Amino acid sequence: MATDDFFRARLDGMVDPQHPLAVLARRLPWSQIETSLAPLFARKARLGKSRDDADMFGPTLVVAAGGVSRAGRPRLPIRLMVALLYLKHAFNESDESLVERWSENVVWQLFSGMEYYQSKLPCDATQIGRFRRVLGEAGVEQLLKTTIEAAVAMKAVKSVELERVIVDSTVQEKAIAHPTDSRLLEVARAKIAQLAKRAGLQLKKTHEREGRTLRRRAGGYAHAKQFKRLRQVVRRQRTILGVLLREVQRKMT
């Protein structure tokens, strides 16, 4: 295959053309995506400031620092950043691991519009987050719409399958401790002591040292499956919490 660089091989000659990402790179309307997203990343024109100036014809009013500024580093190609965003969500990668894998993967570089392999990182990992913030919700919806249209054009999905949306409402169980658990009893004791101190109430005893000791003992008894001793520790923690509550109520009234 002809190449402009005699010492390097083109990526399209190194990758299987039937690879899913290679096929998707040829089918996606990249020019349409870049045209729709270009206004979001265009440099904004500034109004500038008016100031008085003088020349050979007399005093005049000029506008300084107006127009579109050309200062700063040029932006990265929109196709590259869109491809990185797509690869991040498709392969469930973090920003840091994404740029590292991209520098080692020739298929990802072909999908991003590169012609030759490059071993350096495509960008700093923080630039992906900034690109995502500038893109906004409307930009992400536009990318999703374009991807769905490309899938329908490739006959990967049928348009009939997109008429109904199935939402999975399965809720994953979370590790929520029971209200009478030893850890929550210790948290309640510490919170009551903290709030009483903030309100200016002088407590006889906050049981801070004993509370930490009981919490540690409860964890050891639970791990060793010594439930009788565990119940004794929890009972003592309830007693301490009740003593603090009653003392705070008396002093508040």
Side-chain angles (χ1 to χ4, degrees):
M1 183 176 295
T3 175
D4 298 333
D5 194 331
F6 181 77
F7 298 99
R8 292 191 298 174
R10 294 176 59 90
L11 287 175
D12 50 10
M14 302 167 58
V15 176
D16 181 11
Q18 300 302 321
H19 191 280
L21 282 180
V23 175
L24 185 61
R26 296 193 301 269
R27 297 295 184 88
L28 279 178
W30 293 108
S31 58
Q32 178 182 348
I33 294 175
E34 292 177 355
T35 303
S36 60
L37 298 182
L40 297 175
F41 300 94
R43 295 182 181 272
K44 308 300 181 184
R46 295 181 296 180
L47 298 178
K49 297 181 180 180
S50 301
R51 62 182 180 86
D52 296 329
D53 195 4
D55 54 13
M56 60 183 301
F57 298 103
T60 57
L61 185 65
V62 297
V63 178
V68 180
S69 175
R70 298 183 179 274
R73 183 174 56 182
R75 295 187 183 276
L76 294 172
I78 294 180
R79 174 173 178 177
L80 172 62
M81 301 306 297
V82 170
L84 289 174
L85 193 62
Y86 177 86
L87 294 170
K88 170 184 170 61
H89 293 284
F91 294 92
N92 194 22
E93 295 285 345
S94 64
D95 294 345
E96 291 76 10
S97 62
L98 173 68
V99 294
E100 292 178 0
R101 285 192 60 184
W102 188 94
S103 63
E104 303 169 354
N105 197 316
V106 293
V107 182
W108 285 16
Q109 295 189 18
L110 176 67
F111 179 74
S112 303
M114 300 291 107
E115 295 184 358
Y116 302 99
Y117 171 75
Q118 62 179 31
S119 58
K120 63 180 182 179
L121 301 182
C123 63
D124 191 78
T126 57
Q127 290 181 268
I128 301 176
R130 290 196 294 267
F131 177 82
R132 189 165 50 242
R133 286 193 297 270
V134 175
L135 197 61
E137 184 178 354
V140 174
E141 290 180 355
Q142 177 66 26
L143 291 179
L144 178 61
K145 177 177 177 294
T146 307
T147 307
I148 293 175
E149 291 175 351
V152 174
M154 296 167 56
K155 297 182 180 180
V157 295
K158 299 180 181 179
S159 57
V160 181
E161 300 177 2
L162 303 175
E163 294 179 355
R164 184 175 60 180
V165 178
I166 300 176
V167 179
D168 185 8
S169 59
T170 303
V171 179
Q172 183 178 2
E173 295 184 1
K174 296 183 179 180
I176 300 176
H178 197 267
T180 58
D181 184 70
S182 172
R183 181 182 63 85
L184 293 183
L185 288 171
E186 172 59 20
V187 171
R189 184 208 60 78
K191 288 291 184 181
I192 291 175
Q194 179 183 2
L195 293 175
K197 182 179 179 180
R198 186 180 303 174
L201 300 179
Q202 297 294 332
L203 299 179
K204 294 181 180 178
K205 193 175 182 181
T206 60
H207 301 275
E208 181 178 359
R209 181 177 301 177
E210 185 181 4
R212 289 199 302 263
T213 303
L214 291 174
R215 176 69 188 96
R216 185 169 58 252
R217 288 172 55 190
Y221 292 152
H223 181 72
K225 296 183 179 181
Q226 299 178 2
F227 300 112
K228 184 176 180 180
R229 294 180 176 178
L230 175 62
R231 285 193 293 269
Q232 293 176 354
V233 171
V234 172
R235 191 179 304 116
R236 175 57 183 168
Q237 287 182 303
R238 290 175 180 169
T239 302
I240 292 174
L241 184 60
V243 169
L244 288 179
L245 283 174
R246 288 189 293 271
E247 184 178 358
V248 169
Q249 290 175 355
R250 288 196 306 269
K251 294 189 174 181
M252 286 181 62
T253 55

